[in-house]
Amino acid sequence: MSVPAPVSAAQAVGEFLQSPDDLVKLAAFRKKLEKEKASIDVRLKNGVKEQMDSTRHGLRKLFSTRSNVQAIKDEMEGVDRMCSDEKIIVSTFDQISRVSMVHRNFEQTEEMVNNLIEMSEKLDSLEEMLERDSEDILGPAPNLLRIHFQINRLEAFRNTTMHQAKKSSKDVRATLTRYFDRLNKLIQAFDEYVLGLARNILPIVRAGHPDVIVKLMKIVEIEGREDEKAIAMKLVKKAAKMDVASKFRSMQANARVIKYYRSKLQKCIIESIQEKFNNAYLQHEQDPAAFLEDSVWIYQDIIRIEEEVTPCFPPSFEIYSLYVREYHRALNGTITKIMASDPEAGLLLVLHGWIKEYKKNMQELNVAPELLEPPLLDGGEQTLIEDYLKLIIKKLDEWTSNLMKTELEAFTTRSDAPEVDADGLYGTQGAVILFQMVNQQVDSAMDSNQGIILARVVEEVSRVMRSTQDQWTRLIDAEFKKQMEKPDEVAGGLVEYCIALANDQLRAADFAETLSGRIEPLVSEKYQKTIHDRLNDAIDGYLDVAKKCIQTLIDIIFNDLKPATKQLFQPPWYDGIVSQIIETMRDYMSDYQSYLNQALFDLLVEDLLDSFLVTYITSLANAPKLKMPAAADRIKEDITAAYKFFGTYKKTSELEPRFEVLEMILSLLEASKSLVFLSYWSFAKVHGPNISFVENLMKARGDFDRSAVSEVMESIKRKAKEEELTEPPEPTIMKKIAVQGALSRFLARS
């Protein structure tokens, strides 16, 4: 298996800085490397410390064991030398030794028989005490040390007895095993009780019994020393000569089972912490945010551990570090579960803020950073923001897609009449539903107390709004086109739905403006501009769609008026065709006014007036020969009728400036050849030169022959050049007038 060659620092830098533009990112790259280096340094430091502590502890144990082994070895060798020395050999030593052994065996046999007789009574008492103490695991445990002392003595007796019975018959060993079965069960029950206490250290202290933990630690220390002795003896048996070791029956008799209480206690503490976090998570599994909100118990536990639990433990246990480290790891595991449960967008923000608060609180508690490894979510809590925004985008797109599918289908099919609101206006629920979703996401972002998150959410909200606006614009164009091209094949009610949509878009603009006013003061100037610009863009988009609806309503009117407008300034016009046009507009306006928002209706009146004037003036600009003065009289009547109609909806002071252009054009038509220039001068100062329009108008005058038109236009053009007439600063209605050439007018009439 090939090992990849190590990448040098120069190569790593070279891969990042591949173009001169990458130098701009140098500071960010350096910051990233420093952050990675700091993280690695902390992990290395923590790992080295743990390894050094473990090595140091092992060496201490090893040195202590070696000293003990050497001392025992030296003593045994000394005894062996004494026994081998001829000077101290006693001729009757073998007899004395046998007698001594027989005496010792009698004593041991008597002691064993007495112990076997008394053991049942002792077990009764111990079982009763253990049962009483076990009934309340959080209780004072008054018999804990007494039970442990008695069990230790009985256990030693059992070990000695079973060791001596190794050379006995199988039946004897089986009988002893059955006899000690009750003791074995008691030892097992006591071990379970001790481990139960270890799992409930914090609750016991909280219940007011720290002395129980002190007793527990005493037991753990005693058992630890006994474990060390047993291990040392086993090492001596391996290291010393077997014939020397066999002379010491105490070594043979010690058949102790190593209990490892200290490691078991630590394991129980870790398991209890994990169980506590699991239970807390399961309690709020359906609402992980509630788990975070109720997590103050974590800090309360750490404070109690430092103040009340730590004094109960020997310093060598480093119990505070153990608890804090395992609390952090269990918390990290719980947060990992939350992230794996496909959390809602709002929860991601809550979690992001909670992790920041957790770090701050742990600093205030003076918790060492090395105890908070690994970092929550591996230090990637900032990715929660990106995950949140991705989820917001996904949800907004999904919700908006479903909403627009329903709204567009209703607009296209128009199977039912639009809804009528409390004010008697047509409308839809689209804006209300959309802004319920928008406000929900904005409120969630506001809870993060971070301007950048709120600004990013507003950007996405604005994008979604603009998307819906584009869809409405395209649909309106498509539906109007179908209405014009195939009116018999499309559903009716386009007018009503355009009114409803216009009202809805205006309402959405109001909602967006309210939203902007609500959140802008809550962020710094850095983000105010972004929020203001994005929401203003959305507001403009809503108003544009509303205007599109208004223009469509006007286009529908003028589509119906096409036969009449084509007759303007044609022979039928002299009979008063404008009155028919005005009556048609009056009918439409009556329907519009009943269901259209007043602000939009005012805009409709304004745009309708503009469209009427453009249509009228354009027709006049491209008119055939006019019968003078009958044409001028008819124009006056048309102006009066139109003025009266629009005066129904607008004030006189607002209408006069709008109709002034017709008065000026009428003046051009009525002026004599010698005075046309004066009328033109008044017209041109307001609307610009408009030479083509004026020339067509002069040509249309039936009282001017070709030479008169040429003479008038030469005078006008010369004067316009001398006075350097230019277009007005602000375009006027004349900018919308399309003046056709002679050929175009001929083809149009044909």
Side-chain angles (χ1 to χ4, degrees):
M1 180 177 179
S2 62
V3 179
V7 180
S8 67
Q11 289 174 325
V13 172
E15 290 179 3
F16 181 78
L17 302 176
Q18 296 182 356
S19 68
D21 293 340
D22 291 336
L23 291 174
V24 179
K25 308 174 184 175
L26 192 57
F29 181 56
R30 180 178 179 183
K31 186 175 181 182
K32 175 185 175 185
L33 291 178
E34 289 175 348
K35 185 176 180 181
E36 291 177 355
K37 180 179 179 297
S39 177
I40 293 171
D41 288 346
V42 169
R43 294 185 183 183
L44 285 174
K45 181 180 177 182
N46 192 29
V48 169
K49 183 178 180 300
E50 290 183 358
Q51 190 64 36
M52 289 295 292
D53 290 344
S54 177
T55 303
R56 193 179 296 112
H57 180 73
L59 286 173
R60 282 199 298 265
K61 294 283 187 181
L62 185 60
F63 290 150
S64 175
T65 303
R66 186 174 66 179
S67 299
N68 292 337
V69 170
Q70 187 61 42
I72 295 172
K73 182 179 179 182
D74 292 343
E75 291 178 4
M76 291 179 68
E77 288 177 350
V79 172
D80 185 55
R81 283 194 303 271
M82 291 176 65
C83 292
S84 302
D85 193 345
E86 294 179 356
K87 295 179 180 179
I88 61 173
I89 292 177
V90 180
S91 59
T92 59
F93 180 78
D94 289 340
Q95 294 177 0
I96 295 171
S97 176
R98 286 196 295 272
V99 171
S100 175
M101 184 178 297
V102 170
H103 180 70
R104 187 167 59 248
N105 287 341
F106 273 124
E107 287 181 343
Q108 290 178 350
T109 302
E110 183 181 10
E111 181 184 0
M112 185 178 298
V113 171
N114 290 334
N115 285 335
L116 288 172
I117 293 172
E118 296 172 356
M119 188 173 69
S120 178
E121 183 180 347
K122 290 180 180 179
L123 288 176
D124 289 340
S125 175
L126 290 173
E127 286 172 348
E128 182 183 355
M129 287 190 290
L130 181 59
E131 184 178 358
R132 286 202 307 269
D133 285 4
S134 300
E135 286 177 354
D136 183 8
I137 195 69
L138 305 182
N143 303 307
L144 180 60
L145 291 179
R146 189 183 310 165
I147 296 171
H148 175 256
F149 176 74
Q150 294 294 336
I151 286 179
N152 254 9
R153 293 184 63 181
L154 291 173
E155 188 177 9
F157 167 63
R158 181 201 65 183
N159 293 341
T160 302
T161 302
M162 294 303 297
H163 182 77
Q164 291 178 351
K166 282 184 178 179
K167 295 181 180 180
S168 301
S169 66
K170 185 177 180 181
D171 292 340
V172 171
R173 292 198 305 271
T175 301
L176 287 174
T177 300
R178 289 195 301 272
Y179 203 86
F180 286 117
D181 183 61
R182 187 178 170 194
L183 174 60
N184 293 337
K185 291 180 179 178
L186 177 63
I187 293 172
Q188 183 180 357
F190 181 74
D191 286 347
E192 291 176 357
Y193 176 59
V194 168
L195 296 181
L197 294 176
R199 292 188 184 93
N200 290 276
I201 288 175
L202 191 57
I204 291 171
V205 171
R206 190 180 288 116
H209 302 296
D211 55 306
V212 175
I213 308 305
V214 176
K215 296 175 187 177
L216 178 63
M217 289 303 100
K218 188 67 177 175
I219 292 173
V220 171
E221 286 186 318
I222 292 172
E223 294 294 341
R225 287 195 295 269
E226 293 299 321
D227 284 349
E228 290 175 359
K229 288 180 184 179
I231 293 171
M233 289 180 180
K234 289 180 180 179
L235 290 174
V236 169
K237 286 183 178 182
K238 290 181 179 179
K241 295 179 180 179
M242 292 307 297
D243 58 342
V244 175
S246 64
K247 295 179 181 180
F248 294 89
R249 294 187 177 276
S250 60
M251 295 176 95
Q252 296 174 352
N254 198 325
R256 173 183 171 85
V257 177
I258 310 299
K259 295 188 177 181
Y260 303 108
Y261 262 21
R262 178 166 178 167
S263 61
K264 288 180 179 178
L265 177 134
Q266 291 178 337
K267 183 179 179 182
C268 287
I269 291 174
I270 293 171
E271 289 175 350
S272 68
I273 293 171
Q274 293 173 343
E275 183 180 4
K276 186 170 187 177
F277 274 85
N278 286 337
N279 291 338
Y281 174 72
L282 291 174
Q283 184 179 355
H284 301 292
E285 188 173 13
Q286 302 304 320
D287 184 14
F291 167 81
L292 299 175
E293 291 173 4
D294 295 343
S295 61
V296 67
W297 58 267
I298 296 175
Y299 312 115
Q300 293 172 343
D301 283 1
I302 290 175
I303 294 172
R304 189 179 292 273
I305 289 165
E306 183 178 22
E307 295 178 352
E308 301 181 30
V309 175
T310 302
C312 300
F313 281 76
S316 61
F317 273 69
E318 297 182 341
I319 196 64
Y320 178 73
S321 298
L322 174 66
Y323 264 103
V324 173
R325 186 184 300 111
E326 294 306 323
Y327 262 64
H328 178 77
R329 289 174 178 172
L331 174 62
N332 189 43
T334 304
I335 291 178
T336 302
K337 285 182 186 177
I338 292 175
M339 290 301 298
S341 65
D342 193 18
E344 293 290 333
L347 180 58
L348 293 177
L349 281 186
V350 172
L351 185 57
H352 179 267
W354 189 91
I355 291 177
K356 289 181 64 178
E357 188 68 20
Y358 172 78
K359 291 181 177 179
K360 178 182 175 183
N361 291 338
M362 296 307 258
Q363 286 179 346
E364 292 178 356
L365 292 174
N366 296 318
V367 175
E370 56 267 22
L371 298 180
L372 303 178
E373 290 290 335
L376 297 182
L377 297 178
D378 292 328
E381 64 268 16
Q382 196 57 35
T383 59
L384 291 171
I385 301 301
E386 296 303 322
D387 292 342
Y388 164 75
L389 292 172
K390 289 177 183 176
L391 193 54
I392 284 294
I393 293 171
K394 178 183 176 182
K395 292 294 184 183
L396 283 175
D397 288 343
E398 180 182 330
W399 293 336
T400 307
S401 175
N402 293 336
L403 175 63
M404 287 303 294
K405 181 179 179 181
T406 302
E407 292 289 302
L408 295 176
E409 183 179 0
F411 191 96
T412 304
T413 58
R414 299 190 285 277
S415 56
D416 299 316
E419 299 177 10
V420 178
D421 62 18
D423 297 325
L425 305 179
Y426 283 143
T428 70
Q429 291 299 311
V432 174
I433 296 173
L434 176 63
F435 274 86
Q436 284 176 347
M437 297 186 296
V438 167
N439 283 318
Q440 180 183 356
Q441 300 308 320
V442 169
D443 290 342
S444 178
M446 288 168 61
D447 290 339
S448 70
N449 296 319
Q450 293 194 52
I452 185 172
I453 296 178
L454 185 56
R456 292 282 298 276
V457 169
V458 169
E459 287 179 357
E460 294 304 325
V461 164
S462 175
R463 177 188 61 80
V464 168
M465 291 178 182
R466 292 298 292 176
S467 173
T468 63
Q469 293 157 8
D470 291 341
Q471 292 180 64
W472 280 124
T473 300
R474 291 194 296 270
L475 182 64
I476 293 169
D477 286 337
E479 289 300 305
F480 179 72
K481 183 179 180 181
K482 288 193 289 185
Q483 180 83 13
M484 298 304 100
E485 295 177 353
K486 301 176 180 179
D488 297 333
E489 298 180 10
V490 298
L494 181 60
V495 167
E496 289 78 3
Y497 270 82
C498 281
I499 293 174
L501 179 58
N503 290 337
D504 196 53
Q505 296 298 294
L506 185 63
R507 184 187 308 169
D510 290 338
F511 289 158
E513 188 174 9
T514 301
L515 178 63
S516 179
R518 178 164 68 95
I519 64 178
E520 280 185 46
L522 302 179
V523 297
S524 62
E525 294 183 4
K526 179 180 179 181
Y527 302 111
Q528 277 184 358
K529 186 177 187 305
T530 299
I531 292 174
H532 177 81
D533 291 347
R534 292 293 182 273
L535 289 180
N536 263 17
D537 184 52
I539 291 170
D540 290 343
Y542 283 124
L543 295 179
D544 288 342
V545 177
K547 290 177 182 177
K548 182 73 175 178
C549 294
I550 296 302
Q551 187 57 51
T552 301
L553 294 175
I554 293 173
D555 291 342
I556 291 173
I557 294 175
F558 277 90
N559 181 67
D560 283 356
L561 288 174
K562 272 185 181 179
T565 54
K566 285 184 178 180
Q567 299 299 321
L568 286 173
F569 304 105
Q570 302 297 325
W573 168 68
Y574 292 95
D575 297 330
I577 199 170
V578 168
S579 61
Q580 299 177 23
I581 294 174
I582 290 175
E583 285 305 315
T584 301
M585 290 192 296
R586 194 189 310 278
D587 291 341
Y588 272 104
M589 293 297 280
S590 177
D591 294 338
Y592 293 170
Q593 189 174 22
S594 300
Y595 297 103
L596 189 62
N597 181 280
Q598 186 58 47
L600 293 175
F601 184 77
D602 293 341
L603 177 63
L604 174 65
V605 171
E606 189 73 18
D607 290 350
L608 181 64
L609 173 57
D610 194 69
S611 297
F612 172 77
L613 292 175
V614 169
T615 302
Y616 193 84
I617 296 171
T618 301
S619 299
L620 179 57
N622 302 294
K625 280 291 183 179
L626 299 173
K627 301 175 184 177
M628 301 299 293
D633 294 337
R634 173 47 61 191
I635 291 174
K636 291 177 183 178
E637 293 176 5
D638 292 347
I639 293 174
T640 301
Y643 198 94
K644 182 178 179 181
F645 167 68
F646 286 104
T648 308
Y649 309 109
K650 293 180 70 68
K651 297 178 181 178
T652 303
S653 58
E654 296 174 347
L655 284 177
E656 287 178 350
R658 303 298 302 276
F659 276 90
E660 186 181 24
V661 64
L662 288 180
E663 298 289 350
M664 290 180 176
I665 293 172
L666 180 60
S667 178
L668 284 169
L669 287 173
E670 291 183 321
S672 61
K673 184 173 67 174
S674 59
L675 297 178
V676 168
F677 176 78
L678 293 176
S679 298
Y680 171 74
W681 181 247
S682 298
F683 171 82
K685 284 193 296 183
V686 177
H687 300 285
N690 289 288
I691 298 298
S692 298
F693 171 78
V694 174
E695 185 172 5
N696 276 14
L697 195 63
M698 293 300 104
K699 289 179 179 178
R701 286 185 59 164
D703 55 342
F704 280 5
D705 56 17
R706 185 174 297 178
S707 61
V709 172
S710 298
E711 182 180 343
V712 168
M713 290 310 301
E714 286 180 10
S715 173
I716 287 174
K717 291 177 182 177
R718 184 172 59 254
K719 193 64 177 176
K721 186 176 181 180
E722 290 175 358
E723 297 295 336
E724 297 181 349
L725 286 174
T726 59
E727 297 295 330
E730 295 292 332
T732 68
I733 194 170
M734 293 304 300
K735 195 71 175 176
K736 302 177 182 179
I737 306 304
V739 180
Q740 298 177 350
L743 179 60
S744 298
R745 290 200 305 275
F746 173 76
L747 293 175
R749 286 197 294 271
S750 301

